[in-house]
Amino acid sequence: MTRNQMPVFYKDWEALAAEKLERGAFEYIRGGSGSGETLLANETAFRQWAIIPRVLRDVSSVEISTSILNQPIQAPILLAPVGYQKLACPQGELAAAKATEKAGVPYIASTVSDYSLEEISEHTPQGNNWFQLYWSTNEALTFSMVKRAEQAGYKAIVATVDTGVLGWRSSSFVHHFSPVRATRGGANFRKDPVFQALVTEWTEENIIKEIQNNKRRDHMTWDDILRLRKITSLPIILKGIQHPKDAEKAAELGFEGIIVSNHGGRQLDAAISSLESLSPIVDAVKDRIAIIVDGGIRSGTDVYKALALGADAVSIGRPYIYGLAAYGEEGVVQVIEQYKSQLISALRLSGEANMKHLSRENLHHSFTCSCNLRDT
């Protein structure tokens, strides 16, 4: 399959992935929590913004390369941490990470990857890899994974702060599908010396049981996250920020970045969309902390809108997983390159040669929300 024959639109990538994947696996990837209100809101929020083009401007040269955390990247796009990627492709995280190495954008490796963080790093010697951290019930295990990421050359730690309690994942109940029960997502645990010491008898049943026992802590606080400062010099990004007061606290405590995210609509159903969260957060902390946004970003024009609303970069999840399911590494490369191409086109057609000059003046909002999070 040549690149010219690959899908172009998000819905086509999704349809192709649905054809290739087992139903339970596909619905696990596609689905959100509850009735899917947050999942739908993430996409709908982008449709409520329209680009206002300018004309008679020189857009013969458009630059989309930038930097994030002082690290140069070829486009303001990151691949979000997604676990269990062997559900989509046998090469899983290795293929996705290698695609980002080709595309020149960061890859965020999940704690619940099917390949260990060391294996991912070994396969991407020129890559820009970040490590996403779930806070374990065993803090020694948490810190061990952070130190391993540091030793393996990862450039940042992305601490997920919105999953102490898992959302009500309706698709898992309907399709009776659990990636953990399918022995997925345990590579980082199996390779960890702290975890190995916890398993008294090295059987598959005991390993899975200990992974479930140690995967996530349900009572994290700011004090917990601050302890990361004592064990790593890597930049720390907090993923799952949705309220400007939490963003302000992250900036005040000296964290280097945040990811404005509702976990792709997979946690709290009926939560505010990521894009609606973005503007109040930008107003609260812009220029003090790096701001990345994810959720509902389905094209390069969506990237444009997020940048115009103040994000420094975006991260995408389902789109690249569908590319991975469809055509492996090359599918992921194609998805990223399509986003790049669409962003360049949007900049040129709107009369903006420099994406760093984008602002809310480039957009028109067709719907005004009366809520004001900063007053609550």
Side-chain angles (χ1 to χ4, degrees):
M1 175 69 70
T2 67
R3 290 190 179 184
N4 289 338
Q5 296 172 305
M6 289 186 184
V8 173
F9 300 107
Y10 170 77
K11 286 297 183 183
D12 294 331
W13 283 108
E14 183 179 55
L16 187 54
E19 291 177 10
K20 296 202 170 189
L21 295 179
E22 184 269 326
R23 179 68 183 277
F26 172 76
E27 291 297 339
Y28 175 82
I29 294 166
R30 185 202 65 79
S33 62
S35 61
E37 286 185 40
T38 309
L39 183 63
L40 178 61
N42 278 343
E43 293 190 14
T44 302
F46 282 93
R47 309 290 80 79
Q48 293 173 353
W49 288 96
I51 298 171
I52 308 172
R54 298 293 303 276
V55 297
L56 300 176
R57 292 179 163 193
D58 183 1
V59 289
S60 56
S61 177
V62 172
E63 180 59 65
I64 64 168
S65 63
T66 185
S67 64
I68 190 80
L69 303 180
N70 297 315
Q71 301 167 20
I73 56 178
Q74 291 183 21
I77 299 167
L78 300 85
L79 294 200
V82 178
Y84 317 114
Q85 289 187 25
K86 276 190 176 181
L87 293 175
C89 168
Q91 294 304 306
E93 294 84 6
L94 301 185
K98 286 163 70 175
T100 62
E101 189 174 51
K102 290 180 179 179
V105 299
Y107 176 75
I108 309 177
S110 171
T111 292
V112 290
S113 293
D114 284 319
Y115 289 94
S116 71
L117 61 91
E118 290 87 357
E119 290 173 306
I120 293 168
S121 179
E122 288 166 4
H123 282 78
T124 53
Q126 306 303 317
N128 182 357
N129 297 325
W130 301 7
F131 179 65
Q132 175 270 330
L133 178 70
Y134 282 130
W135 204 273
S136 173
T137 52
N138 184 317
E139 194 161 89
L141 176 57
T142 300
F143 292 167
S144 177
M145 288 194 183
V146 170
K147 297 304 293 184
R148 286 168 55 205
E150 196 171 51
Q151 292 164 5
Y154 283 70
K155 304 293 177 61
I157 300 297
V158 177
T160 296
V161 295
D162 64 349
T163 54
V165 177
L166 280 182
W168 198 82
R169 309 279 173 86
S170 51
S171 63
S172 297
F173 298 113
V174 171
H175 299 283
H176 307 289
F177 181 83
S178 166
V180 175
R181 287 198 297 269
T183 68
R184 300 296 189 193
N188 284 320
F189 293 88
R190 295 167 189 263
K191 294 289 181 70
D192 196 284
V194 173
F195 179 80
Q196 291 170 358
L198 296 174
V199 183
T200 54
E201 185 179 353
W202 200 254
T203 66
E204 198 62 28
E205 181 180 357
N206 286 342
I207 292 168
I208 293 172
K209 180 180 178 181
E210 286 302 327
I211 290 173
Q212 292 175 320
N213 288 341
N214 289 277
K215 187 183 294 183
R216 295 182 183 89
R217 182 176 172 180
D218 63 3
H219 53 283
M220 281 177 60
T221 68
W222 289 100
D223 289 338
D224 294 320
I225 292 292
L226 280 171
R227 287 200 291 279
L228 283 179
R229 284 286 179 218
K230 299 179 180 179
I231 65 158
T232 184
S233 59
L234 291 176
I236 300 171
I237 296 92
L238 304 186
K239 179 180 182 292
I241 300 295
Q242 299 175 71
H243 199 292
K245 289 185 177 179
D246 289 333
E248 285 180 311
K249 185 151 189 174
E252 290 165 2
L253 293 175
F255 292 103
E256 286 81 2
I258 58 174
I259 300 180
V260 179
S261 172
N262 54 39
H263 217 86
R266 297 169 73 83
Q267 282 297 97
L268 175 63
D269 198 23
I272 187 171
S273 74
S274 294
L275 196 70
E276 288 176 300
S277 296
L278 180 60
S279 290
I281 286 174
V282 168
D283 290 341
V285 301
K286 185 63 175 176
D287 299 326
R288 287 195 283 159
I289 195 168
I291 301 174
I292 301 164
V293 63
D294 70 19
I297 300 162
R298 303 300 183 234
S299 68
T301 53
D302 288 345
V303 178
Y304 180 110
K305 293 174 185 179
L307 298 176
L309 291 172
D312 297 302
V314 307
S315 65
I316 60 173
R318 290 179 183 87
Y320 88 83
I321 295 297
Y322 293 153
L324 181 67
Y327 298 113
E329 179 184 338
E330 283 305 306
V332 179
V333 171
Q334 181 70 350
V335 168
I336 299 170
E337 293 302 327
Q338 287 173 357
Y339 273 69
K340 287 182 181 180
S341 178
Q342 292 162 2
L343 175 58
I344 290 170
S345 176
L347 287 164
R348 283 182 168 153
L349 290 170
S350 69
E352 294 290 352
N354 189 338
M355 67 180 185
K356 294 180 181 178
H357 293 165
L358 293 177
S359 72
R360 294 177 199 175
E361 292 184 358
N362 293 94
L363 302 178
H364 168 71
H365 197 199
S366 60
F367 173 80
T368 302
C369 179
S370 61
C371 62
N372 187 344
L373 281 175
R374 290 183 58 78
D375 292 337
T376 60

